Structure formats: structure tokens, C-alpha cells
Amino acid sequence: MSSPRGWGEPTWGETPGPTSPAQPAPGPISGTPTTPTGGLQPVGQLMDEVIAAIRWAPRVTWAFGGTIVGVLTLVQGALAAGLGLRRYVETLHPGDLADIDSQLSMIAASAVVSVLAWVTGLLASALCAGVAAVVVGHFRRAGDDRATTSPPSAGTVWAELRPRVGGALGLALLLAFTIAALAAVPLVWLVTLAASQAWLLAFGGGVLLLLGVAVAAFWLLPVLAVALPEHVTPSGGAGTGGAIGRSARLVRGNRWRLVGVWLLTSIVLALANGAVSTPFGWLSTMLTGVGDGTWTAVAWILGSAVSAAVTAPIGALVLALVHTDLRR
């Protein structure tokens, strides 16, 4: 028994007519990775795009984004070294802790150094993430014409970023406070109950609190992280509250993959940070005991600034590329 004729085949007595050329199947937007709508690229492809973005706009990513982070790290380190706080903390003898005045001085010195690092890191993260979001927007819009399309200048990037700097800083502050609060809850619980020697309650409640903190971090942190480039994106609309709401919709169904990307990126950045800062650590060790310690502090400050200037733009570009993948 013969098989039935397919659609479009000529019947008996008819001659085949001209056929229209086959239409190509719709493909991805020019210059964008072949990932499904709302999908995330593997970390390897993300890193390839990070390198491509840096090569396309090196002046903005390194000279602008990296300089912001490097200068702020230098300021933080210079203030700490100038006040003698870091050196005081490192050289304080353990036997001095028996003196209550030494304890208070050590706590105050550590607090000032930590606050300086936190404030400068917060400002650097907000500005660097904003710069990366603007650069990635131009990078993706250029598509396959990047070879003939000029990258944005630092002035262009700053003109786009400037109206949203306050909101970006506020979102970075909210993210930092959320992380600090989530970390502090189980710690305060354990310290409080341990002081009253309620060990069983401290341990059992601590385990439950850790589970609750893990769940809260899983739901909150991806939303707040993606909200920063969402706020900076010109087509995203104004307002930090609106950015958080849109970010919550973007990360829905992608939280596990976002956590995986974050973990792998953190490993890559830690390795890069170690490779960059290790020579400065060796130099700082060799200079220990030379003079009054000024050169040791200089080596430590330079190492921190260079490693931050190298790794921070990479992390910010990964976040910006992940955000654009989620928006597709």
C-alpha cells in the first residue's frame, strides 16, 4: 500500500509549480549568545564575554571602573595606615589584652579599619557595577558590528550613570545591610545563650536559625544583586523600589543557577585576587622590620588596590551580563 501524499505534492495530471524558498528559522539576536529566553549562560561563556567586553572597551572597564576601585582602596588603606590603626592591631601583644584599656583600644582600632573598608568597598561596588551595566548595554547593542562600532567613552558612561548613582549606592547599601543582618542573627543568638550557658537551646536554636538564614539569603540576595544593574539600565525605569520589583520577576525560576554562577565566579575571582596580591604580600613580608614599617604599609596598600582594581570590574561585568541574559 502506497503512502499518502504529503501536503503540497502535485496530484495526478498536475505539473509542479514554482516553490518559494525556504524561510530560515528565527535565530538569536545578532551578537548575543545562543541561550533560551531568560536563560543563563554557563560560567565559561560568561567569562568569554567578560574578556570580549574588556577588549572592546578597555579604557572604560579598566581605566574607569578599575581606577574607581583602586583609588578608593588606596584612600581606605592610606587612612588606616596614616592613623596607625592596622599596625596597632597587628602588633598588639596578646598579653596586653589583660588590660581593659588595651582591649577597648584594640576594639576601636579594629572597628575603624572595618568601617573604612566597608564604606569604601560599598561605594566602589556601586560605582563599578553601574559602569559595568552601562558598558554591557552598549556592548550587547553593538552586536556583530563591534569591530566597526566605537565603544562608549568615560564621559558617555558617566553621563548615563550620574542620574542613577544615588539609587545604585542605596541598593548597594541595602544589599550590604541585608548580608550583615543575616550574618548577625545566628551569631547574636549563639553569643547570648552561650553567655547564659544554655548550650542545648543555643545549639538547637542556632541550627534552625542557620537554616532560616540560608533560606532568606537564597530568596533575597539574588534579587538585591540583580536590582543594581536593573536600576542603572536606562530602559529599566526610575526608582529603586521598581528596580527591586522587576529584579524579583527576573530571578524567579533562576535562583539556583544564579547561586551556582556566583559560587563559580567567586572561586575565579579569589584565584585571580591571590595571583595578583601574592607578589605584594611577599614584598610586604620582606620589608617587615625595615625602618618604621612605612614601606610595609605601602606594599600592603598597593597590593590591596591593584588586586581590587583587577578583580572588581570582572565581577561587575559578570553581574551585568547575567542581568542582560535574564532580561532577554
Side-chain angles (χ1 to χ4, degrees):
M1 181 176 177
S2 60
S3 60
R5 295 180 182 274
W7 292 102
E9 291 187 31
T11 59
W12 295 107
E14 293 181 348
T15 58
T19 57
S20 60
Q23 297 297 324
I29 298 173
S30 175
T32 59
T34 55
T35 54
T37 301
L40 297 178
Q41 304 176 69
V43 175
Q45 291 184 15
L46 278 174
M47 289 302 171
D48 288 342
E49 277 213 282
V50 166
I51 294 173
I54 292 174
R55 292 179 63 185
W56 183 66
R59 295 181 180 177
V60 180
T61 52
W62 288 130
F64 191 30
T67 299
I68 290 172
V69 179
V71 168
L72 289 174
T73 305
L74 281 173
V75 170
Q76 179 261 324
L79 288 173
L83 295 172
L85 300 177
R86 181 176 177 84
R87 186 166 50 188
Y88 177 81
V89 173
E90 291 178 344
T91 59
L92 187 63
H93 193 274
D96 295 337
L97 297 180
D99 182 9
I100 187 63
D101 292 334
S102 297
Q103 292 183 27
L104 294 176
S105 299
M106 183 198 68
I107 293 173
S110 300
V112 172
V113 172
S114 299
V115 169
L116 285 174
W118 183 76
V119 171
T120 55
L122 184 69
L123 183 59
S125 299
L127 293 176
C128 198
V131 169
V134 175
V135 171
V136 167
H138 286 269
F139 175 76
R140 284 283 174 85
R141 287 193 294 271
D144 291 334
D145 298 328
R146 292 171 194 147
T148 57
T149 303
S150 299
S153 64
T156 300
V157 172
W158 177 245
E160 294 185 25
L161 177 61
R162 183 174 54 189
R164 301 173 184 260
V165 167
L169 185 58
L171 287 170
L173 184 64
L174 179 60
L175 178 61
F177 270 124
T178 302
I179 294 173
L182 291 174
V185 168
L187 183 61
V188 171
W189 172 271
L190 290 174
V191 170
T192 302
L193 292 182
S196 61
Q197 297 184 351
W199 301 109
L200 183 60
L201 183 59
F203 178 77
V207 171
L208 293 177
L209 277 176
L210 285 175
L211 291 175
V213 165
V215 172
F218 177 76
W219 283 96
L220 291 175
L221 297 186
V223 174
L224 295 177
V226 175
L228 210 160
E230 175 65 21
H231 172 69
V232 174
T233 302
S235 59
T240 56
I244 294 174
R246 294 189 300 273
S247 175
R249 292 190 292 271
L250 289 175
V251 305
R252 188 178 299 135
N254 289 292
R255 280 183 170 85
W256 283 113
R257 299 194 67 186
L258 285 169
V259 171
V261 168
W262 173 75
L263 288 174
L264 292 175
T265 303
S266 298
I267 293 173
V268 172
L269 293 181
L271 293 175
N273 181 74
V276 174
S277 61
T278 295
F280 292 94
W282 292 340
L283 180 61
S284 178
T285 301
M286 289 187 295
L287 293 174
T288 301
V290 177
D292 58 356
T294 300
W295 290 110
T296 301
V298 169
W300 167 72
I301 294 171
L302 286 177
S304 300
V306 172
S307 61
V310 170
T311 57
I314 295 175
L317 285 170
V318 169
L319 177 60
L321 288 167
V322 164
H323 168 254
T324 56
D325 284 344
L326 291 173
R327 291 196 71 184
R328 283 208 309 272

